[in-house]
Amino acid sequence: MRKVANKQTDRQTNNADYITSLAEANIRLMFYVVSTEGIIAAVGVSNLQFVDMNSTRNLFVFGVSIILGSMIPNWLDQHPTAINTGVFTV
């Protein structure tokens, strides 16, 4: 029993050491990004309260948008030259 408690406190100490080693600016940026994306997602999902989710068409549109929104960034990471816009900074 005692060894389990010591391992758990060691993990907590390691996590605390890691968090305190981060620069304050990085922590602020991390919290900003997480909270901003969370707010945007919450507003988007809250708009669905006015949508008839018993309609097959609406469920299809919602499902396809979620799937494509998660698939396209991964596909573009794997195929960086697939879309050639002519602008090199994109």
Side-chain angles (χ1 to χ4, degrees), residues 3 29 36 45 76:
K3 287 185 178 182
L29 178 64
T36 303
V45 172
L76 286 174

Side-chain angles (χ1 to χ4, degrees), residues 30-44:
M30 182 174 57
F31 283 127
Y32 173 75
V33 168
V34 169
S35 64
T36 303
E37 289 179 4
I39 290 170
I40 292 171
V43 168

